[in-house]
Each structure stands twice: as C-alpha cells, then as structure tokens.
C-alpha cells in the first residue's frame, strides 16, 4: 500500500517530523489489520447486543454504551500522551485493544439501539421506504458533522503536512 501522507496523516501515521515520539504506524497496519480486527469486534458487538442489551430499555442502552465509549476513548489519549509505553505496552497493542476492539464493540452496542428504534418508527406497509428515508437523514447528519469537523481543523490551523501543527 502507498502511504498517502503527508496529506492524510493522523497522529498515528504521521512521520517523525510531525510527531517525533508518535506511534508511526505503517499505513498497511492502520488501514488493513486494525480495520479487519475492528470489523470482527463490531460483529461481536452486534452479537453482544442481541444476547444481552436487546432486553434492556433504550435509554439504559444509550447511557451505558455512551459512558463506556468515553472510557474507551482514553486509549487514544494514553497512546498520544505515551502513557502506554511508560508502562511497557506497545503502541500497536494499545491501539488494537482500545480503538480496534473495545471502541468498535461499544460503537456497535451504541449503534444497534438506534437502528432498532429507527425501525420502530416506520408505519406498517411502508417500512422499507420510511426506513430508507430515516437512515438517509442519519447518514446525511453524519456527513454534515464530518464536514464541520474538517472545517474546524482548517479554521484552527491544524496541519498534517510537514511542517505539522497539532497544537490546537
């Protein structure tokens, strides 16, 4: 795989010139191995939802999974702050456990109640059309939020090309 850096670098894939003490994952690991493990973890999240959380109330599902997602995001903080290496855990292991496994399981546990709730909003004999419409609006909202995030990155002067700037 070709590394699309410097234009698409993250703190994980950025070269030493951008993040001197960073993980420096090669793009194959970051986009292939971690994504395959993440997909399997997402599948485990669906199975876990079906076996355990499907019997819960929606509000409880959202609260619990949101709280766990917040905790799981600290794996990223630990990697960037280098806390994992201070205790002897490699970057790849920390990323695989945190972002690729725990975060993806909890993401699916959080996503599934929304899918079920969306399906319950569909009137009889119009399920496919209304579900497609509602899912389309959800996807549109996600794309709008990504675009706003991109705008904010540009507005705050964050640069992923050498000379990099992650200060803001």
């Amino acid at each position: 795989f070709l590394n699309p850096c410097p234009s698409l670098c993250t703190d994980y894939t950025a070269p030493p010139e951008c993040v001197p003490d960073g993980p420096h994952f090669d793009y194959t690991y970051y986009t292939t191995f971690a994504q395959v493990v993440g997909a399997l973890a997402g599948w485990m999240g669906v199975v876990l939802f079906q076996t355990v959380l499907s019997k819960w109330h929606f509000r409880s599902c959202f609260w619990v999974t949101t709280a766990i997602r917040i905790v799981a995001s600290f794996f990223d903080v630990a990697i960037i702050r280098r806390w994992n290496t201070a205790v002897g855990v490699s970057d790849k292991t920390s990323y695989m456990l945190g972002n690729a496994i725990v975060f993806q399981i909890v993401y699916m546990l959080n996503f599934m109640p929304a899918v079920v709730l969306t399906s319950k909003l569909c009137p009889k004999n119009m399920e496919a059309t209304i579900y497609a419409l509602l899912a389309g609006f959800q996807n549109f909202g996600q794309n709008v939020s990504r675009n706003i995030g991109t705008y904010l990155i540009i507005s705050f002067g964050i640069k992923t090309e050498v000379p990099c700037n992650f200060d803001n």
Side-chain angles (χ1 to χ4, degrees), residues 1-48:
F1 291 95
L2 294 175
N3 188 343
C5 282
S7 63
L8 295 175
C9 290
T10 68
D11 283 348
Y12 294 118
T13 59
E17 298 84 31
C18 290
V19 183
D21 193 30
H24 313 299
F25 294 155
D26 61 274
Y27 213 64
T28 301
Y29 171 80
Y30 188 69
T31 60
T32 305
F33 302 125
Q35 295 301 314
V36 168
V37 169
L40 292 172
W43 173 76
M44 288 189 301
V46 171
V47 170
L48 188 61

Side-chain angles (χ1 to χ4, degrees), residues 112-133:
M112 291 303 294
V115 170
V116 173
L117 191 58
T118 300
S119 69
K120 290 183 182 255
L121 295 172
C122 300
K124 190 164 180 65
N125 298 325
M126 295 184 65
E127 296 91 350
T129 303
I130 300 299
Y131 189 87
L133 184 64

